[in-house]
Structure formats: C-alpha cells, structure tokens
C-alpha cells in the first residue's frame, strides 16, 4: 500500500514537472508585416506563458513596438527578428509600427490579448 | 485638454485659478531681458490630404493665412511646426505638394517664415525633398533676446533626433546662460505623451535632459492635432491645433483616429496660435476663420 502511494506521488511529481517544463518553454508566434498591416493583427496568449515573437516583413523596414511590455524591434525584410516576451499581466495590449512607412502607417497596429 | 492635465499644468506653472492662456518662463527674473514680441504657430497643415475628416481641406490653409493676415498687430514671424504636406509614396507628387504649399503660404503678409518638417514631409525620404524646398531641418535663430532652437525628430523614420543632432544641441546650449530665454520648436512631443499611440520621440528624453539646466525653456510642437499642455519639471510643452483634422485626446479612445468632421461647426478643433513673448509666454488660439 505504502509502495503504491509512493509510486503515485512520484508519478504526480513527474507530471507536474513536465507541465511546468511545458509552461516554461516559450511559445513561438509568427507575425508578418507589410504596408499597412500586421498578420495576424490579434494574438492570443496566456499570462505567465513565455512567448517568442518571430517577426518578418514582406516589403520594407517596419517597426514593432509594444510599450506595455517594453518591447521594440526593427523588422527588416529577409530576416527573422525574434523578440522574447513574458506576458506577466492579463488584458489587451496594443502593438504598432513605429517606423513611418507611408499613408496608412498610423493604422498599422494589432492587439495582444493575454488571458489570466 | 484633459482636466487633470490642465490642473497639473496650472499647478506646476504656478498659475492655478487663472484663465489658461499662458505658460510662464519659469525662471524669469523681474527685469525683462528683451523687447516683447509675438509670433504665430501653424502646424500640421497636411497639404494634399483628401478625406472625410476635412471636406474643406483644399481651402483650410488659405483661410488660416487670411485670418493671420487680418490680425490687427502682425506677428514678427511665423513658424510651421511640421507636417506641411500629407505623405505620399510618390516623390514627384511629394514635391508638387511642397511647391503648392509654399505658394499658398507665400500669401502671408509676414515674410519671416520658419519651417520644420513632420514625418509626413520627411520620413519616407529622410528629408531629401523637404531640404530641397525648405532648407535645413534643424537650426537656431535669435529674436529680440530669445534663442529659438528648431529640432528635427522626423527625418529619421524611427522618430529619433539622433546622436549627431543631440551633440549639435549640446554644443549650442553650452553657449547659453542658465537664465537665457529658450524656445524649442519641434514636430513630435519630446516627452512620452502617449507611447501606445506613438506620441513620443524615441530619444526625446535626452534632449529634455540637455535643456533641464536652463531655467527659461518653453517647447512648442505639433503632431497630435490638438491643444495640449504638459510640464516636464520646469519646462512647459505646448502642442498646437492642426489645420486639417483634430485627433482625440491622448488615451481617450482605443485608437488615434481622426475626429469626425462636423458640418454644423466646420473648423472646430482647428486653427493656429498667436504666441506673445514677454516676461511670460501668452498663448492665444486662433480659429481658421474669424467669424
């Protein structure tokens, strides 16, 4: 009986460790940019689940800025820009292009939705 | 202007209870350093814009020029704090817009006119066309004892002043005395007004840091298409109305979309600004058309 309990506890501990390991592994989210939009322009995430944003551009240099998480990067055509991000608070957070790219630049934005 | 901003500004400027038209030169001594004068600020004229936010776009600038020409006391000079033209990807059309803009404003009775670029003028070609028509994007000039510094935070499309310009600013300021009157003109806010709407200058804090040792500094800017007043320490920052369409108050709605045109009140939220410089700086907002 004691042996079975011990095995169950060990198994439970291993599963919990695996779950923690999964939660610690960054989730990659790919976002492409072109005049004057991000695709996707709505990104879902879970609080505490680390992310890596993989940013690419289809046409010209754009910027990616998300002030609420202190994130900013240039997105250069032909390159992947990888941006780590830890969504440690729930809510909707705007990201936008901060490298002026023409008429429509002001509308080039998107939302990161972080669920609790 | 948000009431909380207004109260904070009045408190910081030591003017609580006074009808708001003025920002002090905070460190001004009793004895004036210079003869009084006034100048007019135009901003965000966006010549070439076409859209529902201003069905009168082809005439608004000319009307404002006529209104300023009609002032009983003509200003010593006029400044344009950026976005003279509306952006276009076509370099030829960009130049045509600048040419036509220059023709319209040449009707100003005052011939001392100073220009600055906005991102719509200069960010797509790093200021190339702008410089062809209007010259250097950053410079200084002096008028009746006040030192003016025009800063360019738009020719870099990432909204930076850049190290070269900051070094130039530092060198210029070294020649100033701590109580000199200094007026800074620029397009974008130098401080983080609303980062979620990109109403910032990436390295604007460095410029403010350089200006901080000087006691009498006032900043006039545009970009946000509305009257707005803010203090960073003792430095007052005043945003001007646009002449094309108004934008919402910072953070008042999810997006910074243009406010809808109201046919019942054409010209609402638009205009220019008359600035008197004496022992204090007095701001009077002028409508597009004096009715």
């Amino acid at each position: 009986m004691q042996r079975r309990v011990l095995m169950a506890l060990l198994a439970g501990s291993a599963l919990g460790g695996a779950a923690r390991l999964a939660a610690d592994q960054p989730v990659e989210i790919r976002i492409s940019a072109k005049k004057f939009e991000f695709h996707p322009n709505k990104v879902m995430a879970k609080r505490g689940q680390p992310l890596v944003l993989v940013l690419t551009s289809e046409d010209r240099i754009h910027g990616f800025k998300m002030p609420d998480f202190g994130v900013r990067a240039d997105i250069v055509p032909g390159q992947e820009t990888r941006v780590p991000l830890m969504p440690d608070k729930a809510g909707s957070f705007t990201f936008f292009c901060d490298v002026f790219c023409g008429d429509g630049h002001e509308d080039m934005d998107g939302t990161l939705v972080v669920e609790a | 202007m948000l009431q909380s901003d207004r109260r904070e500004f009045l408190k910081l400027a030591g003017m609580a209870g006074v009808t708001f038209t003025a920002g002090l030169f905070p460190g001004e001594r009793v004895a004036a350093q210079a003869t009084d004068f006034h100048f007019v600020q135009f901003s965000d004229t966006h010549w070439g814009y076409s859209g529902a936010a201003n069905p009168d776009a082809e005439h608004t600038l000319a009307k404002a020029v006529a209104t300023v020409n009609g002032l009983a006391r003509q200003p010593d000079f006029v400044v344009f704090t950026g976005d003279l033209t509306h952006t276009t990807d076509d370099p030829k059309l960009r130049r045509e817009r600048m040419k036509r803009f220059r023709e319209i404003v040449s009707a100003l009775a005052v011939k001392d006119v100073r220009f600055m670029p906005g991102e719509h003028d200069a960010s797509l070609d790093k200021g190339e066309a702008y410089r062809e028509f209007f010259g250097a994007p950053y410079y200084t000039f002096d008028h009746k004892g006040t030192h003016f510094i025009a800063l360019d935070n738009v020719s870099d499309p990432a909204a930076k002043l850049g190290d070269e310009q900051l070094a130039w600013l530092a060198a210029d300021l070294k020649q100033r005395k701590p109580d000199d009157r200094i007026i800074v003109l620029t397009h974008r806010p130098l401080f983080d007004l609303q980062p979620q709407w990109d109403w910032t200058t990436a390295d604007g804090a460095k410029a403010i840091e350089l200006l901080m040792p000087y006691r009498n500094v006032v900043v006039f800017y545009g970009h946000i298409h509305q009257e707005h007043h803010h203090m960073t320490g003792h430095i007052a920052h005043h945003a001007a109305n646009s002449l094309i369409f108004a934008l919402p108050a910072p953070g008042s709605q999810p997006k910074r979309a243009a406010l809808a045109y109201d046919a019942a009140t054409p010209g609402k939220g638009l205009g220019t600004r008359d600035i008197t410089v004496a022992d204090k700086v007095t701001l009077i907002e002028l409508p597009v058309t004096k009715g």
Side-chain angles (χ1 to χ4, degrees), chain A residues 35-36 60 65 67-68 72 74 94 96-110, chain B residues 46 86-89 119-120 123-124 157-160 195-198 200 202 223 254-257:
Chain A
K35 293 195 298 185
F36 300 102
R60 52 157 291 150
K65 189 169 181 180
D68 291 297
R72 124 123 291 271
D74 285 329
T94 299
F96 56 87
C97 175
D98 69 343
V99 174
F100 189 83
C101 54
D103 197 3
H105 165 76
E106 283 95 346
D107 300 321
M108 185 169 171
D109 58 19
Chain B
H46 285 262
H86 197 70
T87 193
T88 168
D89 285 352
E119 74 279 2
H120 280 250
S123 285
L124 289 185
K160 290 178 185 165
Q196 288 79 4
W197 288 4
D198 202 23
T200 64
H223 189 57
K255 296 207 177 195
R256 58 189 158 178

Side-chain angles (χ1 to χ4, degrees), chain A:
Chain A
M1 179 65 184
Q2 283 181 340
R3 182 184 173 87
R4 279 201 298 272
V5 170
L6 180 63
M7 291 297 286
L9 284 171
L10 285 171
S13 174
L15 284 170
R20 278 196 301 278
L21 191 63
D24 291 344
Q25 291 299 311
V27 171
E28 280 194 3
I29 296 177
R30 302 187 73 83
I31 301 176
S32 66
K34 67 177 182 183
K35 293 195 298 185
F36 300 102
E37 61 187 16
F38 290 104
H39 182 78
N41 64 3
K42 185 175 181 183
V43 176
M44 304 299 291
K46 285 196 179 300
R47 188 174 66 187
Q49 169 68 64
L51 307 176
V52 172
L53 307 179
V54 183
L55 310 173
T56 55
S57 171
E58 297 178 29
D59 47 21
R60 52 157 291 150
I61 291 180
H62 291 283
F64 183 94
K65 189 169 181 180
M66 197 184 304
D68 291 297
F69 289 104
V71 168
R72 124 123 291 271
D74 285 329
I75 315 174
V76 180
Q79 297 180 19
E80 279 189 355
T81 301
R82 299 176 69 83
V83 179
L85 190 158
M86 171 52 86
D88 54 3
K89 51 194 171 190
S92 293
F93 306 98
T94 299
F95 57 85
F96 56 87
C97 175
D98 69 343
V99 174
F100 189 83
C101 54
D103 197 3
H105 165 76
E106 283 95 346
D107 300 321
M108 185 169 171
D109 58 19
T111 306
L112 171 70
V113 179
V114 181
E115 295 175 330

Side-chain angles (χ1 to χ4, degrees), chain B residues 21-87:
Chain B
T21 56
L24 294 173
F25 271 128
E28 187 73 300
R29 292 172 179 170
V30 175
Q33 297 181 39
T35 309
D36 299 357
F37 66 93
H38 73 126
F39 66 100
V40 167
Q41 179 187 12
F42 284 64
S43 202
D44 298 85
T45 52
H46 285 262
W47 177 256
Y49 167 84
S50 173
N54 186 350
D56 193 40
E58 283 191 46
H59 310 290
T60 308
L61 176 56
K63 288 177 180 175
V65 167
T67 298
V68 171
N69 284 345
L71 291 174
R73 193 165 69 95
Q74 283 293 287
D76 286 23
F77 58 92
V78 170
V79 300
F80 284 80
T81 48
D83 282 355
L84 317 176
T85 59
H86 197 70
T87 193

